[in-house]
């Protein structure tokens, strides 16, 4: 009997020690989360959900904004100096891939990317770096389908509609999104010559408005328009341009991507605008899950999947509250 009691006590002590060691290890884990536009709501939400993971597991999360390549590289060095073991980054320039990998290795940091995938000097994805991103092509296709559905629902003649492709082709994700939308439009009979490129200098509403204004001024004969681009801001810019051109909201279909605060504010307006909907992508997985995956990689050695792609769901003026709830927003 005494032997059994001793064994039970020994096991209990062992379990308690293991739990204590685990808790101590968690407190020693420090993970960086670097984003390219810290003022943007999407990245604020990613940080919020990453904070939730840190609180849940007991590790330290260091949030850093890096608006350009120099700051991104400096952030890696900063985290190394702080004794961090891992870093998650959405880089301002995906072509920094080899440099960021080298800098992370030099600082003995495990590296993961989120949202935008790193590429090498030839533009090929760095497949050895674990990445969580958005299936840009599929989300673009969802945008295209939503536009087609609205064209049909409104009884428009497909051949008499113009499309504003608000473009930012230097970002692969942006190009994949708009090309996905275009592929669906063409499959449904949209004329290729009625799709007009509106290159924006930055990924904000003002730059999109300026780019769309040029397209509308050159093609004043078309009276019905659709618009799509990288994000909500791009499409909102195009919609504002149609308003400036005197087009009615009923003659415009803009479908954004992101479900940003700007899009929600548009839905809340007393009367509908040309901004019909947004494909909402959830920052929860991109913040919480990447942080949790990095924590597990640092603390247990379990490396994350090399590629995880998330998707989105169409939200409109009538459905956005329910969609946001479903996505944990």
């Amino acid at each position: 009997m005494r032997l059994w009691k001793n064994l039970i006590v020994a096991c209990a002590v062992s379990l308690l020690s293991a739990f204590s060691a685990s808790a101590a290890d968690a407190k020693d884990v420090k993970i960086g989360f670097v984003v390219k536009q810290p003022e943007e709501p999407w990245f604020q939400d990613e940080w919020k959900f990453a904070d939730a993971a840190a609180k849940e597991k007991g590790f330290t999360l260091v949030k850093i904004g890096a608006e350009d390549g120099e700051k991104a590289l400096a952030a890696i060095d900063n985290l190394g100096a702080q004794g961090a073991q891992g870093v998650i980054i959405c880089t301002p320039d995906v072509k920094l891939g080899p440099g960021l990998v080298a800098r992370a290795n030099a600082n003995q940091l495990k590296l993961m990317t989120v949202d935008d995938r790193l590429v090498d000097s030839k533009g090929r994805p760095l497949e050895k770096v674990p990445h969580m991103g958005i299936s840009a092509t599929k989300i673009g296709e969802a945008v295209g389908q939503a536009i087609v559905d609205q064209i049909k629902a409104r009884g428009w003649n497909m051949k008499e509609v113009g499309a504003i492709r608000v473009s930012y082709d230097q970002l692969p994700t942006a190009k994949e999104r708009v090309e996905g939308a275009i592929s669906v439009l063409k499959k449904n009979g949209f004329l290729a010559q009625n799709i007009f490129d509106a290159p924006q200098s930055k990924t904000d509403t003002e730059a999109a408005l300026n780019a769309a204004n040029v397209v509308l001024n050159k093609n004043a004969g078309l009276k019905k328009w659709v618009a799509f681009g990288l994000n909500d801001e791009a499409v909102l810019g195009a919609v504002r341009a149609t308003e400036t051109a005197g087009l009615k909201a009923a003659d415009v279909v803009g479908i954004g991507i992101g479900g940003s605060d700007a899009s929600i504010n548009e839905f809340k307006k007393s009367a509908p605008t040309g901004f019909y909907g947004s494909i909402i992508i959830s920052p929860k997985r991109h913040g919480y899950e990447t942080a949790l995956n990095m924590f597990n990689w640092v603390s247990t050695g379990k490396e994350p999947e090399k590629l995880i792609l998330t998707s989105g769901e169409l939200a409109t003026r009538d459905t956005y509250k329910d969609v946001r709830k479903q996505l944990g927003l």
Side-chain angles (χ1 to χ4, degrees):
M1 180 65 72
R2 179 173 294 179
L3 177 62
W4 280 108
K5 286 182 179 180
N6 288 341
L7 284 172
I8 291 171
V9 170
C11 287
V13 170
S14 177
L15 286 171
L16 183 60
S17 298
F19 178 82
S20 299
S22 176
D25 288 345
K27 291 179 181 179
D28 291 337
V29 172
K30 182 177 289 187
I31 295 168
F33 203 123
V34 182
V35 301
K36 62 182 179 181
Q37 291 175 294
E39 75 285 354
E40 288 291 324
W42 168 265
F43 295 113
Q44 290 287 328
D45 283 340
E46 280 189 338
W47 275 349
K48 178 182 73 175
F49 289 116
D51 270 331
K55 183 176 181 180
E56 178 184 313
K57 294 297 182 180
F59 64 88
T60 299
L61 185 76
V62 181
K63 295 173 287 189
I64 302 176
E67 297 85 351
D68 57 43
E70 185 177 342
K71 290 180 180 179
L73 292 168
I76 303 293
D77 289 336
N78 183 323
L79 290 164
Q82 291 188 49
Q85 298 97 340
V87 58
I88 302 158
I89 186 168
C90 179
T91 177
D93 183 355
V94 294
K95 294 178 182 177
L96 288 171
L100 288 169
V101 170
R103 195 66 63 92
N105 288 338
N107 284 281
Q108 298 183 321
L109 290 166
K110 297 184 185 300
L111 176 66
M112 287 178 59
T113 55
V114 66
D115 301 332
D116 297 329
R117 197 176 192 187
L118 300 179
V119 299
D120 62 18
S121 59
K122 295 183 179 179
R124 296 172 300 196
L126 295 185
E127 296 179 351
K128 291 184 178 181
V129 179
H131 174 70
M132 177 178 283
I134 299 159
S135 180
T137 298
K138 289 188 179 299
I139 285 180
E141 290 171 350
V143 168
Q145 189 59 56
I147 289 173
V148 167
D149 291 344
Q150 274 304 295
I151 289 175
K152 292 179 179 179
R154 299 181 189 202
W156 294 358
N157 182 340
M158 192 83 70
K159 296 180 180 179
E160 297 176 354
V161 182
I164 303 173
R165 174 191 184 269
V166 183
S167 60
Y168 193 75
D169 287 350
Q170 53 267 53
L171 183 63
T173 299
K175 187 173 182 180
E176 290 169 12
R177 289 180 182 183
V178 295
E179 292 304 320
I182 289 172
S183 69
V184 174
L185 290 177
K186 288 181 176 178
K187 285 178 184 178
N188 284 273
F190 204 99
L191 297 179
Q193 61 263 35
N194 283 359
I195 301 173
F196 304 98
D197 195 29
Q200 55 184 153
S201 57
K202 296 191 297 184
T203 59
D204 60 17
T205 300
E206 182 179 1
L209 185 154
N210 294 334
N213 272 334
V214 175
V215 170
L216 292 168
N217 290 336
K218 288 183 177 180
N219 300 279
L222 292 169
K223 301 302 180 183
K224 298 187 187 302
W225 287 88
V226 299
F228 50 92
L230 164 66
N231 52 22
D232 290 326
E233 289 73 18
V235 176
L236 283 166
V239 169
R240 294 289 90 86
T242 64
E243 293 168 351
T244 301
L247 293 166
K248 297 178 181 178
D251 294 329
V252 178
V253 178
I255 305 290
I257 295 175
S260 66
D261 287 346
S263 70
I264 301 304
N265 290 336
E266 197 77 1
F267 293 147
K268 289 179 178 178
K269 288 184 176 180
S270 58
T273 71
F275 188 88
Y276 176 76
S278 175
I279 304 297
I280 295 186
I281 45 183
S282 174
K284 183 174 183 179
R285 290 190 67 189
H286 291 237
Y288 176 86
E289 194 171 317
T290 53
L292 189 61
N293 286 345
M294 178 59 80
F295 170 74
N296 289 334
W297 192 8
V298 169
S299 60
T300 70
K302 181 182 178 181
E303 187 174 350
E305 293 179 48
K306 293 298 186 185
L307 180 62
I308 302 172
L309 296 177
T310 62
S311 58
E313 186 171 342
L314 175 66
T316 67
R317 182 183 177 88
D318 298 324
T319 66
Y320 77 91
K321 291 181 180 178
D322 290 336
V323 172
R324 283 176 59 81
K325 185 176 181 180
Q326 291 170 14
L327 294 176
L329 299 173

